[in-house]
């Protein structure tokens, strides 16, 4: 007992020292950045970057819940008059906010049906191995990529199933399940047109002729090699780390019988909603109704027809993640207002001669630049800023604007730390809140591997794009 108490005391001391160092960096690094930029950029730009750096350090070290630094940044820049209130809080009435809100409601409805219970019951009845459960989680995320145009929304829908597979004291298994959940919902999001709202943003940046070429099947064809590389790499990683290292042995032994209480009317009505959503997505070129309003209308229908009670909404709805998303969506408008987007765009023409000398080196530097910018800027603003700056130069260097946009999009959707992506942040927040054992080091290592996998998929797609005369 004394050894255990000593070990816990040492661990507590280690965490306290880590937090002390992290908070010291939060206070010190912004001042150092201010001293470097004070005579280079205007005052408001410098102040914003310093406060943003403090928020990023807090995100990296997870000193507070993820939505807190983002919300604190908005409050500070408004109170100091750096950014107008309507711009700083624009994320709370943005299209992305309403899209995620609607998806969360539909995910909460799905969690109330018996379909996930039935799937789990089948896996338990068949005495499914741990790799089989991983496959079920991944397959659910991938299939929803065809229907739900939001990685965070897909992750929310699969979350109830993953939660049922977690075991209190099996950190290894829980980590692999979390990874399967996170990357099953995100890795193919740029391969399938309906997998990410930013895919439609990219289409909107192209001229009409090019945009028509990259509708559902055209997009899938051009992205097929990258998708194949990512899928094979993902499957190989799960096999090597989950099966070869025996992560799943005995995982099913603790399962009890699953009590499936079905409500046939609600179950089939929920499937009907998702079928309607799929049809609406696939016919979007015809009706031209924005996806966020389709999803929000379906969410409102859930309440009008009493499909979800207020008590269930409180327990199932992920408000912290929704607030986090709203705070990071506002970064794009704030950067535009402060002129930082234009400053970044002014630096982009230096890439043109690099692409002309060596195509692969140009792609490598572009992806490295995306990686560096993503350390500070959320995925959606980073993509919009970089795509707006680089796409006008695509024809000059002999590259299809879609190829350059797809490259930026694929790499900007990668992540390593929780603050960089809502899906990762949501998973870690849920695991921490429920005190489920997991290994953050395993999650980070896998994320690095998958980030490199995304970059490798782009490189391996270049010969294929040349064959399609896109380069």
């Amino acid at each position: 007992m004394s050894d255990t108490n000593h070990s816990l005391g040492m661990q507590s001391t280690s965490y306290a020292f880590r937090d002390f160092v992290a908070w010291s960096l939060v206070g010190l690094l912004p001042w150092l950045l201010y001293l470097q930029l004070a005579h280079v950029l205007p005052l408001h730009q410098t102040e914003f970057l310093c406060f943003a750096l403090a928020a990023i350090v807090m995100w990296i070290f997870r000193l507070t819940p993820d939505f807190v630094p983002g919300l604190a940044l908005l409050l500070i820049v408004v109170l100091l008059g750096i950014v107008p209130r309507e711009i700083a809080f624009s994320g709370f009435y943005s299209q992305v906010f309403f899209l995620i809100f609607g998806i969360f409601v539909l995910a909460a409805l799905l969690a109330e049906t018996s379909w996930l219970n039935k799937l789990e019951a089948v896996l338990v009845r068949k005495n499914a191995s741990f790799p089989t459960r991983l496959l079920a989680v991944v397959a659910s995320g991938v299939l929803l990529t065809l229907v739900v145009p939001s990685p965070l929304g897909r992750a929310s829908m699969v979350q109830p199933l993953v939660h049922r597979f977690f075991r209190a004291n099996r950190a290894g298994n829980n980590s692999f399940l979390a990874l399967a959940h996170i990357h099953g919902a995100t890795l193919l999001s740029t391969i399938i047109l309906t997998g990410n709202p930013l895919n439609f943003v990219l289409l909107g940046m192209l001229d009409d002729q090019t945009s028509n070429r990259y509708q559902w099947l055209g997009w899938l064809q051009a992205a097929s090699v990258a998708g194949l590389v990512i899928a094979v790499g993902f499957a190989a990683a799960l096999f090597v780390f989950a099966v070869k290292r025996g992560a799943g042995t005995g995982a099913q032994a603790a399962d009890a019988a699953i009590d499936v209480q079905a409500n046939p009317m609600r179950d089939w009505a929920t499937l009907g909603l998702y079928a309607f959503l799929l049809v609406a997505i696939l016919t979007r070129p015809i009706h031209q109704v924005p996806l966020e309003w389709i999803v929000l209308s379906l969410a409102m229908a859930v309440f009008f027809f009493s499909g979800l009670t207020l008590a269930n909404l409180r327990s199932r709805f992920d408000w912290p993640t929704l607030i986090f998303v709203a705070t990071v969506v506002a970064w794009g408008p704030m950067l535009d207002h402060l002129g930082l987007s234009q400053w970044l765009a002014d630096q982009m023409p230096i890439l043109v001669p690099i692409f002309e000398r060596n195509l692969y080196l140009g792609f490598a530097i572009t992806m490295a630049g995306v990686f560096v910018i993503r350390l500070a800027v959320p995925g959606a603003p980073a993509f919009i800023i970089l795509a707006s700056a680089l796409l006008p130069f695509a024809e000059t260097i002999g590259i299809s604007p879609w190829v350059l946009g797809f490259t930026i999009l694929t790499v900007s959707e990668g992540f390593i730390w929780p603050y960089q992506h809502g899906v990762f942040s949501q998973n870690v927040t849920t695991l921490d809140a429920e005190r489920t054992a997991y290994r953050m080091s395993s999650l980070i290592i896998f994320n690095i591997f998958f980030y490199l996998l995304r970059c490798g998929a782009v490189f391996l797609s270049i010969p294929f794009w040349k064959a399609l005369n896109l380069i």
Side-chain angles (χ1 to χ4, degrees), residues 181-468:
H181 180 210
I182 294 166
H183 293 286
T186 58
L187 270 181
L188 297 181
S189 62
T190 62
I191 305 301
I192 299 172
L193 178 60
T194 53
N196 195 318
L198 292 179
N199 296 349
F200 295 100
V201 174
L202 175 57
L203 281 184
M205 292 182 174
L206 306 177
D207 60 66
D208 291 340
Q209 182 177 357
T210 306
S211 177
N212 291 333
R213 176 178 179 178
Y214 294 105
Q215 294 301 319
W216 212 94
L217 291 178
W219 184 293
L220 183 62
Q221 179 193 20
S224 58
V225 171
L228 181 62
V229 172
I230 290 173
V232 171
F234 184 35
L238 288 181
F239 176 80
V240 170
F241 288 96
V243 180
K244 286 292 188 179
R245 298 190 179 189
T249 55
Q252 68 274 22
D255 285 323
I258 306 299
D259 182 20
V260 180
Q261 298 180 351
N263 182 336
M265 182 176 294
R266 182 174 59 187
D267 291 352
W268 289 107
T270 301
L271 284 187
L273 281 178
Y274 280 100
F276 181 86
L277 178 60
L278 176 60
V279 173
I281 291 172
L282 295 180
T283 58
R284 187 173 176 271
I286 300 174
H287 58 71
Q288 296 295 317
V289 179
L291 290 173
E292 57 273 11
W293 304 133
I294 296 173
V295 173
L296 191 61
S297 299
L298 294 178
M300 292 301 99
V302 170
F303 292 108
F304 282 129
F305 294 99
S306 302
L308 193 65
T309 65
L310 189 58
N312 290 335
L313 180 66
R314 288 195 184 104
S315 62
R316 300 287 187 182
F317 201 93
D318 190 356
W319 291 106
T321 299
L322 184 63
I323 296 174
F324 169 74
V325 170
T327 60
V328 298
V329 166
W331 280 52
M334 288 192 296
L335 292 172
D336 288 340
H337 173 77
L338 293 169
L340 289 169
S341 300
Q342 186 59 45
W343 176 82
L344 180 63
D346 291 340
Q347 318 306 314
M348 291 300 107
I350 62 175
L351 286 174
V352 174
I354 297 175
F355 270 99
E356 292 175 345
R357 287 198 303 269
N358 188 308
L359 186 65
Y360 286 89
L361 180 60
F363 274 101
I365 294 177
T366 300
M367 290 187 285
V370 173
F371 171 78
V372 172
I373 291 172
R374 281 286 283 112
L375 294 176
V377 183
F383 164 72
I384 293 172
I385 293 169
L386 290 169
S388 300
L390 284 177
L391 259 57
F393 301 101
E395 298 291 350
T396 304
I397 56 182
I399 297 177
S400 166
W402 180 88
V403 169
L404 198 54
F406 175 80
T407 299
I408 298 170
L409 179 59
T410 299
V411 180
S412 67
E413 278 296 289
F415 51 90
I416 296 176
W417 291 281
Y419 78 92
Q420 292 183 297
H421 202 286
V423 174
F424 192 15
S425 174
Q426 181 192 47
N427 271 265
V428 173
T429 300
T430 301
L431 290 168
D432 289 340
E434 298 178 355
R435 297 185 178 181
T436 303
Y438 70 100
R439 296 171 184 159
M440 178 61 80
S441 59
S442 297
L443 301 183
I444 297 297
I445 291 172
F446 263 79
N447 289 343
I448 293 173
F449 168 77
F450 290 132
Y451 206 106
L452 295 175
L453 183 64
R454 288 174 180 270
C455 297
V458 171
F459 279 121
L460 293 174
S461 297
I462 291 176
F464 177 68
W465 289 332
K466 288 182 176 180
L468 294 179

